[in-house]
């Protein structure tokens, strides 16, 4: 009889606890219990692979800038890597949609398996005063990537993009100066203001150590995409899978393209909005802008430990 009782006790231990033991009951309101029941239980990477699931995670790495620096190219190149999963569209969470909350932001992310990195890119973060504190609040360990480009060329590219949408805007030359006679540069114009990289970086360094920010050269991303991607993969802790074999140079567009894009067997170049022909700008204005940016560029080189060769 004792043997039979012990057999029944141990046989029931697992199933009875699951069904009715107070220890097995979920705590919380009915709504919380329903929410928990709707969340898939943890699965192994193998089972996740076969059933097409995965987990939506907040990004571990973000491309935070800069506009017209080459952020779209970098993201498209990175998405070739099997361990990188990224949002295609710019979420603009930390500058425009922060009030929607982290749950909304997480839901935008692609599902990832264990060992994969979730990423997004929104170039306006770099110049948004509130963004560093907000990202730090989400995770102090977030890795940040900034694609920078000669600020004069970047400003002209920025203007060219606006011109394509608003053909009646004033000339680049007239927008550059508060007073052209005195040569006073209008730093309130966003096309000029974005390129004052050192000033913006100071804000980020209040919340993140310099070693947690990778600075990618927009110029080298064109001349040596595999080399820059090698640095990015190292920074993200990824195996160097993206190499020279993934690129070919498109002479018509003037920048590298992928031989095979993510999820495709066909070559892929960035769209027609990339690589626009710049308008001719008065060289005196270009030189004045170079003089304006020179001191700031030197400070930026010192802060980052990199000479980008813009002067």
């Amino acid at each position: 009889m004792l043997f039979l009782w012990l057999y029944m006790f141990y046989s029931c231990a697992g199933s009875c606890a699951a069904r009715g033991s107070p220890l097995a009951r979920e705590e919380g309101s009915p709504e919380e219990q329903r929410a928990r029941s709707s969340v898939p239980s943890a699965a192994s990477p193998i089972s996740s692979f076969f059933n097409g699931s995965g987990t939506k995670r907040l990004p571990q790495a973000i491309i935070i800038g800069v506009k017209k620096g080459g952020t779209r190219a970098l993201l498209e190149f990175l998405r070739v890597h099997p361990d990188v999963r990224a949002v295609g569209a710019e979420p603009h969470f930390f500058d425009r949609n922060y009030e929607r909350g982290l749950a909304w932001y997480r839901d935008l992310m692609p599902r990832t398996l264990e060992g994969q990195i979730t990423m997004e890119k929104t170039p306006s973060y770099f110049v948004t005063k509130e963004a560093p504190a907000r990202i730090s609040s989400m995770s102090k360990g977030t890795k940040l990537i900034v694609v920078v480009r000669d600020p004069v060329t970047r400003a002209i590219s920025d203007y060219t993009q606006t011109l394509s949408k608003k053909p009646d805007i004033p000339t680049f030359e007239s927008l550059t100066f508060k007073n052209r006679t005195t040569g006073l540069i209008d730093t309130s114009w966003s096309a000029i203001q974005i390129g004052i990289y050192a000033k913006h970086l100071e804000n980020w360094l209040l919340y993140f150590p310099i070693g947690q920010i990778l600075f990618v050269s927009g110029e080298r991303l064109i001349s040596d995409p595999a080399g820059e991607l090698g640095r990015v993969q190292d920074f993200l802790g990824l195996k160097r899978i993206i190499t020279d074999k993934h690129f070919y140079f498109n002479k018509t567009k003037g920048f590298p393209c992928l031989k095979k894009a993510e999820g495709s067997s066909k070559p892929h170049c960035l769209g027609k909005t990339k690589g626009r022909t710049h308008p001719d700008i008065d060289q005196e204005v270009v030189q004045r802008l170079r003089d304006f940016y020179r001191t700031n560029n030197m400070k930026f080189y010192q802060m980052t430990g990199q000479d980008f060769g813009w002067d």
Side-chain angles (χ1 to χ4, degrees):
M1 179 65 72
L2 178 62
F3 175 80
L4 180 61
W5 183 86
L6 288 172
Y7 173 79
M8 292 175 65
F9 175 81
Y10 283 111
S11 297
C12 182
S15 58
C16 293
R19 289 193 301 269
S21 169
L23 294 175
R25 294 183 193 130
E26 293 187 273
E27 297 180 354
S29 66
E31 291 78 10
E32 290 172 328
Q33 292 179 30
R34 281 195 296 272
R36 279 196 292 268
S37 67
S38 67
V39 176
S41 58
S44 70
I46 294 177
S47 64
S48 295
F49 178 82
F50 283 110
N51 64 26
S53 66
T55 304
K56 290 194 174 189
R57 298 180 175 89
L58 292 169
Q60 297 93 46
I62 304 176
I63 300 172
I64 59 172
V66 299
K67 180 184 179 185
K68 306 310 294 179
T71 59
R72 173 55 58 185
L74 178 60
L75 186 70
E76 292 301 309
F77 296 164
L78 271 174
R79 290 174 77 176
V80 172
H81 200 293
D83 289 333
V84 171
R85 300 282 285 120
V87 183
E90 296 173 4
H92 283 281
F93 176 65
F94 295 104
D95 57 352
R96 302 179 190 170
N97 296 301
Y98 195 64
E99 74 285 348
R100 293 177 180 265
L102 285 173
W104 177 86
Y105 184 48
R106 181 189 288 110
D107 195 52
L108 296 178
M109 300 299 135
R111 293 185 180 276
T112 55
L113 304 180
E114 193 67 34
Q116 291 183 319
I117 291 177
T118 303
M119 293 188 67
E120 71 115 318
K121 77 105 176 170
T122 304
S124 52
Y125 290 162
F126 189 63
V127 298
T128 299
K129 187 176 180 181
E130 299 81 9
R134 290 172 174 177
I135 294 176
S136 177
S137 178
M138 176 187 72
S139 172
K140 293 183 183 299
T142 307
K143 293 185 176 182
L144 308 172
I145 300 174
V146 188
V147 188
V148 288
R149 180 184 183 186
D150 180 332
V152 177
T153 310
R154 197 222 65 81
I156 296 171
S157 180
D158 198 335
Y159 173 80
T160 303
Q161 182 181 56
T162 305
L163 185 65
S164 69
K165 300 174 183 177
K166 301 176 181 179
D168 58 343
I169 61 170
T171 65
F172 180 88
E173 290 84 351
S174 63
L175 291 170
T176 296
F177 299 101
K178 283 186 177 179
N179 187 320
R180 188 166 182 178
T181 303
T182 62
L184 185 62
I185 303 293
D186 188 357
T187 56
S188 67
W189 184 29
S190 63
I192 300 296
Q193 200 257 352
I194 289 172
I196 309 174
Y197 301 141
K199 176 185 175 182
H200 303 303
L201 180 56
E202 285 175 345
N203 190 32
W204 288 89
L205 294 181
L206 296 174
Y207 298 90
F208 293 93
I210 193 71
Q212 209 166 308
I213 309 174
L214 180 69
F215 301 91
V216 174
S217 165
E219 287 82 11
R220 287 196 293 271
L221 197 58
I222 293 174
S223 64
D224 181 19
E228 284 300 278
L229 265 292
R231 293 179 60 244
V232 176
Q233 289 170 96
D234 292 346
F235 175 71
L236 295 175
L238 297 169
K239 183 178 179 181
R240 283 199 177 199
I241 289 177
I242 306 171
T243 62
D244 279 323
K245 68 181 182 181
H246 289 90
F247 302 99
Y248 73 95
F249 191 81
N250 185 306
K251 293 181 180 180
T252 303
K253 286 184 170 290
F255 52 75
C257 300
L258 289 166
K259 290 182 180 177
K260 292 181 181 180
E262 178 198 26
S264 173
S265 60
K266 298 179 180 179
H268 172 67
C269 280
L270 298 180
K272 61 182 180 180
T273 61
K274 306 298 179 182
R276 294 186 183 96
T277 301
H278 291 179
D280 290 328
I281 306 296
D282 186 328
Q283 286 306 299
E284 180 190 350
V285 174
V286 171
Q287 188 56 52
R288 288 204 185 185
L289 275 177
R290 294 210 174 281
D291 294 339
F292 166 77
Y293 280 120
R294 184 168 291 110
T295 301
N296 190 267
N297 288 345
M298 293 303 175
K299 184 178 180 180
F300 185 65
Y301 296 171
Q302 292 173 351
M303 294 172 76
T304 61
Q306 292 178 240
D307 185 338
F308 292 90
W310 297 325
D311 297 291

